[in-house]
Amino acid sequence: MVSLEEYAQRYPRLTDAVIVLALLGGAVIGANLVGPGESRPQDVWVANVVTGIACLALFGARKRLRSAVVVTAVCAVVTGSLGFVLSPLLLAPLMVALYWLAAATDSRTTWAYGGVTTVLVVGTAVGVDLDAMVALRAFGPALWLLLPLAMGSGTRLRHAWLEAVQARAEHAERTREEEARLRVTEERMRIARDLHDVVAHHMAVANAQAGTAAHLLESDPKLTKKILTDLQATTSTVMLELRDTVGVLRHSGPDADSLEPAPGLAQLPDLLEVCRSAGLTVNLATEGEPRDLPPGIDLTAYRIIQEALTNATKYSASATAALRLRYSSTRLTITVTNDTRTDEQPRRGSAGYGIIGMRERAHAVGGDLRVSDSGAADFEVVTALPLHPHAPVPRSLTPQGTP
């Protein structure tokens, strides 16, 4: 449905014609109105002609606003000089011209033309007789002329505000694309650094192990077998790290914001402190003997905890969450629990990328992840990660010590 403003913009000529006819009819009525106890001024036809000229001056006046204001102001002064009461019906053409001027020009031009016009019209309405009614004769025309000036200025400011909002939106759209390209560049740099720091190191070790095994193959077969076993573990580790690093290419998001080395559970206190600063209290419990984890598993554990606590920050009803780390001989079980505020907590079957990303991270290192979706008050994320790359966790996750 087309609004009145849009219709006026599409058909300006027709709109101006309707306005002119309406103002002309009102001006004719205003010229023939007589107050109680007053006599009708002579030469009514002159007043009708003058007000008709004022109305016709508005036809197409949007391109000649200053000329329209001058013509309608002169017509209003002439009408008042003939003895007619300057009512809103007679001042309507001048009021429309002042409104258009205020809506389309700057404040200095608006109030310069408006101020001079108001003084002339009020002076004509007051006349030379300074009787007891002089204030009343001055107040009415002044009020009716200042009103369109104020309304037109408000319309101009509103349009300027809307244009500024639209400009900011367009600028944000352009900068969003630039930021996306910058993030891609930063992510490539981070991946290159990860490959250099992790994969290149393991490859150098594997090369040294292979060279040593070849050298000792005939002289010390037992030691050679041990070195080859270690070489197998080294190559498994480097394959895991390579898969985890290259997998980042498929997942863009907040993880690509930093060029610092990949985080791990050693940075967990800093993460909990960030959550506390965001208003979420995290109760940490550790079971078993903590130990150093392979870099890929360490990064995966950190990212899963980070995403789960992010969800808890958004949806926890009591602003508290429980984080439990359980170390066994073969795996690390991570449990993050929080009570939910509403049904907005993401569920396993939801289309949110956070849970999908956590599950894919866990699967990438041979682990598994389960998210509670029973509809109970508590929301729980449980993941089990292997402590060694060659010992994957079965897909049917039943972590010990978890409900």
Side-chain angles (χ1 to χ4, degrees):
M1 183 177 180
V2 181
S3 65
L4 184 60
E5 184 176 359
E6 293 176 351
Y7 187 86
Q9 292 177 353
R10 290 185 182 181
Y11 308 99
R13 293 281 184 177
L14 180 60
T15 303
D16 289 349
V18 172
I19 293 175
V20 167
L21 290 177
L23 293 176
L24 184 60
V28 171
I29 296 174
N32 289 273
L33 287 178
V34 179
E38 297 181 357
S39 60
R40 177 177 299 177
Q42 300 296 323
D43 301 329
V44 176
W45 66 272
V46 177
N48 290 333
V49 172
V50 172
T51 54
I53 294 173
C55 293
L56 292 176
L58 296 177
F59 191 78
R62 300 176 192 269
K63 298 180 180 179
R64 302 179 300 275
L65 293 172
R66 295 170 179 82
S67 299
V69 171
V70 172
V71 172
T72 53
V74 171
C75 292
V77 170
V78 171
T79 305
S81 301
L82 293 175
F84 291 89
V85 178
L86 294 178
S87 64
L89 292 175
L90 292 178
L91 292 176
L94 178 57
M95 294 168 61
V96 172
L98 289 176
Y99 175 82
W100 285 349
L101 179 70
T105 60
D106 57 278
S107 298
R108 183 176 181 179
T109 302
T110 297
W111 292 105
Y113 277 80
V116 173
T117 300
T118 302
V119 170
L120 291 176
V121 173
V122 170
T124 302
V126 171
V128 296
D129 297 331
L130 302 179
D131 53 14
M133 302 295 293
V134 62
L136 183 60
R137 291 199 305 270
F139 179 76
L143 176 63
W144 290 115
L145 295 182
L146 292 177
L147 181 62
L149 290 173
M151 293 178 61
S153 298
T155 301
R156 173 171 49 82
L157 294 176
R158 182 174 65 88
H159 287 168
W161 179 78
L162 292 176
E163 291 176 358
V165 171
Q166 183 177 2
R168 285 198 298 269
E170 294 174 354
H171 177 72
E173 185 66 25
R174 291 193 299 269
T175 55
R176 186 181 299 113
E177 296 176 359
E178 296 174 359
E179 183 181 357
R181 289 193 293 268
L182 179 61
R183 286 173 179 263
V184 169
T185 302
E186 292 177 349
E187 181 62 22
R188 289 174 178 172
M189 294 176 63
R190 189 178 73 84
I191 293 173
R193 186 169 183 172
D194 287 344
L195 288 172
H196 178 271
D197 292 346
V198 180
V199 180
H201 167 72
H202 289 298
M203 291 299 294
V205 172
N207 181 68
Q209 289 174 332
T212 304
H215 180 71
L216 299 175
L217 179 61
E218 296 181 357
S219 60
D220 196 343
K222 185 176 181 180
L223 181 57
T224 300
K225 182 177 181 180
K226 181 180 183 303
I227 293 175
L228 291 177
T229 302
D230 294 338
L231 176 61
Q232 181 182 12
T234 301
T235 54
S236 298
T237 302
V238 74
M239 290 175 60
L240 177 63
E241 295 299 332
L242 181 62
R243 180 175 58 182
D244 184 74
T245 304
V246 176
V248 178
L249 293 173
R250 299 188 300 110
H251 302 284
S252 61
D255 295 348
D257 288 343
S258 176
L259 299 180
E260 296 297 324
L265 293 185
Q267 285 76 38
L268 188 57
D270 296 336
L271 176 61
L272 300 184
E273 184 61 31
V274 171
C275 292
R276 293 189 186 97
S277 65
L280 179 70
T281 300
V282 182
N283 299 318
L284 174 62
T286 303
E287 300 177 12
E289 183 67 25
R291 66 200 72 178
D292 294 333
L293 302 177
I297 296 176
D298 200 22
L299 173 63
T300 299
Y302 179 88
R303 293 305 189 196
I304 290 176
I305 294 173
Q306 183 182 48
E307 180 63 26
L309 292 180
T310 300
N311 287 336
T313 303
K314 295 178 180 178
Y315 305 108
S316 177
S318 59
T320 59
L323 170 60
R324 182 171 60 185
L325 304 178
R326 185 178 186 275
Y327 293 85
S328 66
S329 59
T330 59
R331 62 184 176 181
L332 167 64
T333 303
I334 303 171
T335 305
V336 180
T337 308
N338 66 276
D339 51 352
T340 56
R341 181 171 62 252
T342 64
D343 292 336
E344 295 175 355
Q345 183 81 37
R347 297 295 176 183
R348 181 172 60 188
S350 68
Y353 292 108
I355 294 177
I356 295 176
M358 287 191 293
R359 182 172 288 111
E360 290 185 353
R361 284 184 181 276
H363 290 174
V365 297
D368 200 10
L369 182 138
R370 174 174 60 83
V371 177
S372 66
D373 56 358
S374 61
D378 289 339
F379 183 82
E380 187 177 72
V381 176
V382 182
T383 183
L385 305 176
L387 296 182
H388 306 286
H390 58 275
V393 175
R395 285 294 183 265
S396 57
L397 176 61
T398 56
Q400 301 176 7
T402 61

